[in-house]
Amino acid sequence: MWQQSTDPLGSLWLSALTAALPILVFLACLVVFRLKGIIAALIALAVQIALALWGFGMPLPSVAGAGLLGVLTALWPIAYIIVMAVWLYRTAVASGRFDVIRSSISVVSPDQRIQVLLITFAFGAFLEGAAGFGVPIAICAALLVQLGFRPVKAAMISLVANAGAGAYGAIGIPVLVGAQVTGIDVIELSRAMVLLLQPLTLLIPFLLVVILDGWRGLRETWPATVTVTIVFSGIQAGVLWFLGPELVDLGSGLGAMAALFVLGRVWQPKRVYREAGAPVPAIERPSLRETIAAWSPFYILTAFILIWSLPVFKGLFAADGPLAATVLTVPIPSVTNAIVGASGTPVTAAWSLTPINATGTAILLAVFASFFTTRALTAGILWRELRGTVRDLAAALALITLILVLANIANYSGGSASMGTALTAVGPLFPLLAPIIGWIGVFLTGSVVNNNTLFAPLQVATAHGLGVDPALLVAANTAGGNTGKVISPQSIAIAAGAVGLSGRESEILRASILYSLGMLGFICVWTFVLSLLPH
């Protein structure tokens, strides 16, 4: 078996900087040289393979095995989820229901600043809590384009807004996994998240308005912005503190949407803001029945996702459950029991095919349920939209696949651990840098869940060594990863595919990167301040 090393070059910082080269190359290709996402990913992947083979000494069969796991994971469950989510959205548009959705949003306010708060922040949080995995980014970005936003701005705003909910996506799984892999009590970790992340969440609605219309826009829309912030953050903090992470995004998203609907009945900004070139919508007030029917695909989606998230449903597919035979687990050759981790433990890597209990299957059932309850849809339209979805997302899914191949090779070669270990060597200043590990983890994997699986134990071990609250550093890992989702290649590719900009990911990245780094800097400083307090 091959033994991983976090310091193959004899200098921890040199090894860590070497391990970071593929990330730096990828960013440079997109931001400096403005290459297409797939070209940038291919170059970065070539650098990663070379480093794994000759820098970290990883055997070629293990490199191939790690890459295979990346390809399989990209296909299932990630591509499956994304295709199903966008297919659901496209069928809603094809059915004509989206015209009613657009009218119901315009009734709240024709002002696009209010629409952004309603769609990307409130409704996006609701979708994040129900599905996660890029679903809110894809759907909200597409909605904004339909409402008259330019594609790049629609994608960027949806990515930034997702930072308000991304840490608790898919029924709180990132926090639940962080607690599970570290042994920290879930409520203790949830309360640490409130103390660490809530100040940033309070600021995001204000940031969204400033991005759109500057300080003038903030002065003109402060009643709506303050209302959304108080309701959203109040519900989010309360649920986290007393109940845990499972219902955080669903409750705060629903509450913020309801608050904006009520506020829209008694207050509107004096000046209606519209993006340059965006048509002013004709205000048509759909009936309550029409509105409920139009939004029904998303209600149906939420219902299926909630059922799929219930412990009793998950128990059906557990190792001793009645449907355990439907879960196919495939060990990855040349990785499982072929690599010894830096800690001395043999590595286990497997790919699971879960055709029934996959999140994508829940979305697929929502598509069919919406189809059978919508007279305007025919089987021909349904399959046409599926073909169009696959065609339009092909480039984005190819980019996601390349990035996951790169990430898996980085992880199993020891490169990711090398970067994390180097950052732990700074001693008492480590809390200042702890969120950066989470940021790197999500940039590599595109998932706050995977990030916590990889690096949360490292954060706990360092916390014990420094005498810092372990829950704080795991929360920092989660929060830092949450800011990394804004520019993770997977998120960028999803956003690009949703707004029709596949191949132009660099434009979205350039528009988003400063916001990601700014939020990361805020979390770093605030983590360090909290680490100085007694616990």
Side-chain angles (χ1 to χ4, degrees):
M1 288 196 293
W2 174 68
Q3 171 77 52
Q4 279 184 359
S5 172
T6 58
D7 185 17
L9 303 182
S11 167
L12 183 58
W13 283 103
L14 180 59
S15 296
L17 288 173
T18 302
L21 274 177
I23 299 175
L24 299 176
V25 167
F26 183 75
L27 287 173
C29 288
L30 287 178
V31 178
V32 179
F33 300 107
R34 303 189 178 188
L35 300 178
K36 290 186 176 181
I38 289 181
I39 301 300
L42 284 170
I43 294 172
L45 178 58
V47 173
Q48 180 61 69
I49 292 172
L51 287 178
L53 290 171
W54 295 293
F56 284 80
M58 189 179 189
L60 180 59
S62 295
V63 172
L68 174 63
L69 180 58
V71 173
L72 294 175
T73 304
L75 294 174
W76 189 284
I78 293 174
Y80 183 39
I81 292 171
I82 294 168
V83 169
M84 292 300 103
V86 175
W87 188 24
L88 177 68
Y89 163 76
R90 288 178 63 124
T91 57
V93 174
S95 70
R97 282 178 165 176
F98 192 83
D99 294 333
V100 179
I101 292 175
R102 185 162 45 210
S103 296
S104 68
I105 293 172
S106 299
V107 165
V108 175
S109 178
D111 192 296
Q112 289 187 315
R113 298 165 297 189
I114 311 300
Q115 291 175 354
V116 160
L117 295 177
L118 177 64
I119 295 171
T120 64
F121 191 69
F123 184 51
F126 178 77
L127 290 174
E128 182 70 39
F133 294 100
V135 171
I137 294 170
I139 290 178
C140 291
L143 281 169
L144 289 186
V145 170
Q146 288 284 333
L147 289 167
F149 286 83
R150 295 189 300 276
V152 170
K153 180 167 280 190
M156 178 267 287
I157 289 172
S158 298
L159 289 163
V160 172
N162 188 247
Y168 316 107
I171 320 298
I173 290 177
V175 177
L176 294 174
V177 167
Q180 182 181 23
V181 300
T182 60
I184 297 173
D185 181 74
V186 171
I187 292 296
E188 182 183 356
L189 181 55
S190 296
R191 291 176 177 177
M193 293 296 300
V194 172
L195 297 175
L196 179 62
L197 193 53
Q198 219 55 44
L200 177 62
T201 304
L202 282 164
L203 295 175
I204 289 177
F206 298 95
L207 175 61
L208 294 172
V209 172
V210 170
I211 290 173
L212 278 179
D213 195 28
W215 296 107
R216 177 189 179 185
L218 198 57
R219 289 195 304 270
E220 293 177 347
T221 62
W222 70 264
T225 312
V226 170
T227 298
V228 167
T229 296
I230 291 175
V231 172
F232 186 95
S233 295
I235 294 174
Q236 194 174 68
V239 173
L240 277 170
W241 196 270
F242 295 106
L243 299 177
E246 290 90 344
L247 299 176
V248 167
D249 285 344
L250 292 173
S252 56
L254 277 173
M257 282 191 286
L260 279 174
F261 274 108
V262 172
L263 180 67
R265 304 296 294 269
V266 298
W267 173 88
Q268 290 291 333
K270 293 181 178 178
R271 178 178 70 97
V272 174
Y273 171 83
R274 306 289 298 172
E275 286 280 287
V280 178
I283 303 299
E284 300 177 3
R285 293 186 178 272
S287 68
L288 179 60
R289 182 177 179 179
E290 290 174 327
T291 301
I292 292 174
W295 284 89
S296 63
F298 304 108
Y299 304 146
I300 294 170
L301 167 66
T302 304
F304 277 110
I305 293 293
L306 286 175
I307 292 171
W308 258 238
S309 303
L310 291 174
V312 65
F313 184 83
K314 290 182 177 180
L316 298 174
F317 305 90
D320 57 349
L323 297 179
T326 65
V327 178
L328 176 64
T329 301
V330 181
I332 300 300
S334 300
V335 177
T336 296
N337 296 325
I339 299 175
V340 177
S343 63
T345 305
V347 168
T348 300
W351 175 68
S352 293
L353 180 64
T354 55
I356 298 177
N357 61 321
T359 301
T361 301
I363 305 173
L364 173 63
L365 292 175
V367 172
F368 286 133
S370 299
F371 168 71
F372 287 117
T373 56
T374 307
R375 293 180 180 178
L377 288 176
T378 65
I381 294 174
L382 190 69
W383 300 122
R384 182 194 70 196
E385 294 304 322
L386 176 58
R387 291 193 300 271
T389 298
V390 173
R391 182 186 62 246
D392 294 345
L393 288 178
L397 296 176
L399 174 57
I400 290 171
T401 301
L402 290 172
I403 292 301
L404 284 174
V405 170
L406 183 155
N408 276 277
I409 295 173
N411 293 337
Y412 289 108
S413 68
S416 298
S418 178
M419 289 184 280
T421 304
L423 288 173
T424 66
V426 301
L429 286 177
F430 176 75
L432 183 66
L433 304 179
I436 297 176
I437 295 178
W439 190 95
I440 292 172
V442 172
F443 186 89
L444 283 172
T445 67
S447 165
V448 184
V449 175
N450 291 343
N451 163 55
N452 274 350
T453 303
L454 286 171
F455 292 129
L458 174 69
Q459 300 276 7
V460 170
T462 308
H464 287 310
L466 297 175
V468 177
D469 182 8
L472 173 64
L473 293 194
V474 175
N477 195 71
T478 308
N482 184 48
T483 65
K485 277 190 72 176
V486 176
I487 61 162
S488 78
Q490 182 174 312
S491 297
I492 295 286
I494 291 169
V499 299
L501 292 181
S502 293
R504 296 169 58 185
E505 292 83 6
S506 61
E507 296 178 39
I508 300 174
L509 177 62
R510 290 197 302 274
S512 309
I513 190 167
L514 290 180
Y515 299 110
S516 175
L517 294 175
M519 289 189 286
L520 174 63
F522 179 92
I523 293 296
C524 287
V525 173
W526 187 232
T527 301
F528 184 69
V529 170
L530 291 177
S531 73
L532 300 177
L533 302 177
H535 67 277

